[in-house]
Amino acid sequence: MATLPSQEFIFPKNSDIGASELSIEEASKPCTYLCGNSLGLISKRSQRLISEEMDVWGKRAVEGHFDHPHGRNWKDITDHANPILASLVGANLDEVACMGTLTANLHLLMNSFYKPTQQRFKIVCEARAFPSDQYAFASQAQSHGFDPRFAVIEIAPRSGEFFLRETDILQVIETHGDQIAVVLLSGVQYYTGQWFPMQRITEAGHNVVSRLSRCDVKVCEPFA
C-alpha cells in the first residue's frame, strides 16, 4: 500500500502548539499545519538523514569530509545538491550554487549588484517580503549612507486586495525609474504564493535604463 504524503512528515499535536480549548481527545491529535511558508514540517526522511550525519560526525569526525560511510563526503556535498537545485529552478548546472542562509546570500548578491549613486539609489521590493529580507534591504541602504524610509520602495497590494497587480509593479518602475538602482523581487511571494512575471519586470527595468542612458538597473530574483 502506498504511503500518503502526510505520513512522510511529523505533525505536532494540538497540545504541543498550545491549543488549550480542545477536549483531551482532540488535543492529542495532530494539528492542521498551514505555516509551510515560514517553516515546513520536518520529514521523517530528513530526521533520519540528519541522525545519520550526526552519527558519522561522532564516528568519523574530520574523516567524514573524505571518507563518508554513506557516500556523502562533506567536502563535495554541494556536487550532490546542485543538480537537484538546477532541476528545481529550471537552470543549467553551472548557473546554480548551493550556499548558506538566505539573508547572507542576499547581502552577497546586493554587495555585487547594489551600486547606488546620489541620483540612483532606490531598492524596489514587494511589501511584506520575508522579514529578514526587509532587514537586509534596509541595512544595505544604510551602509551606503541612505535612509531606508526613502531608499526602499515597497510595492503593496491595493486596498482590500491580497496580490500585487502586474500593472502596479510596472508603474512603480516607470515612476521611480531614474532613481532605481535595484529591483529585487522573489520569484514567488513567500506569504501569498503569488508568482511574479519576472521576464516582463526585468524588461521594464531594462527599458528604463535604455531610455535614460545611465548606469544599470539590476533586476534580481533571489531563490531560497
Side-chain angles (χ1 to χ4, degrees), residues 31 113 115 155 199:
C31 73
F113 293 110
K115 305 295 184 183
I155 312 174
Q199 181 174 349

Side-chain angles (χ1 to χ4, degrees), residues 18-48:
S20 58
E21 302 296 324
L22 300 175
S23 66
I24 295 177
E25 180 182 359
E26 287 297 319
S28 64
K29 293 181 179 180
C31 73
T32 299
Y33 193 79
L34 301 175
C35 294
N37 61 308
S38 183
L39 180 63
L41 295 171
I42 186 172
S43 69
K44 295 176 181 178
R45 182 169 181 266
S46 294
Q47 189 179 50
R48 187 187 76 248

Side-chain angles (χ1 to χ4, degrees), residues 80-145:
H80 299 275
N82 286 342
I84 300 172
L85 290 177
S87 175
L88 183 63
V89 301
N92 294 320
L93 184 57
D94 60 359
E95 295 174 325
V96 300
C98 183
M99 299 176 65
T101 63
L102 172 59
T103 305
N105 288 346
L106 274 175
H107 280 294
L108 290 171
L109 181 147
M110 295 190 73
N111 285 342
S112 298
F113 293 110
Y114 183 53
K115 305 295 184 183
T117 65
Q118 289 301 313
Q119 173 64 26
R120 191 185 288 279
F121 60 91
K122 292 185 178 180
I123 301 167
V124 174
C125 64
E126 77 265 28
R128 297 191 72 180
F130 199 76
S132 57
D133 294 7
Q134 307 275 176
Y135 299 143
F137 304 154
S139 64
Q140 282 285 330
Q142 287 177 320
S143 70
H144 288 279

Side-chain angles (χ1 to χ4, degrees), residues 76-210:
D76 53 12
I77 191 63
T78 58
D79 292 343
H80 299 275
N82 286 342
I84 300 172
L85 290 177
S87 175
L88 183 63
V89 301
N92 294 320
L93 184 57
D94 60 359
E95 295 174 325
V96 300
C98 183
M99 299 176 65
T101 63
L102 172 59
T103 305
N105 288 346
L106 274 175
H107 280 294
L108 290 171
L109 181 147
M110 295 190 73
N111 285 342
S112 298
F113 293 110
Y114 183 53
K115 305 295 184 183
T117 65
Q118 289 301 313
Q119 173 64 26
R120 191 185 288 279
F121 60 91
K122 292 185 178 180
I123 301 167
V124 174
C125 64
E126 77 265 28
R128 297 191 72 180
F130 199 76
S132 57
D133 294 7
Q134 307 275 176
Y135 299 143
F137 304 154
S139 64
Q140 282 285 330
Q142 287 177 320
S143 70
H144 288 279
F146 296 100
D147 188 333
R149 294 176 299 172
F150 306 109
V152 181
I153 308 298
E154 299 182 11
I155 312 174
R158 298 184 185 186
S159 178
E161 298 183 3
F162 299 97
F163 302 101
L164 290 175
R165 297 190 186 188
E166 180 180 342
T167 53
D168 291 346
I169 298 173
L170 301 182
Q171 184 59 52
V172 167
I173 295 174
E174 178 68 23
T175 300
H176 297 272
D178 63 342
Q179 294 181 309
I180 296 174
V182 170
V183 178
L184 211 163
L185 297 172
S186 54
V188 176
Q189 215 284 334
Y190 95 100
Y191 196 78
T192 65
Q194 180 182 4
W195 173 84
F196 291 124
M198 296 305 298
Q199 181 174 349
R200 291 190 289 275
I201 293 171
T202 301
E203 290 172 351
H206 290 171
N207 287 340
V208 169
V209 175
S210 62

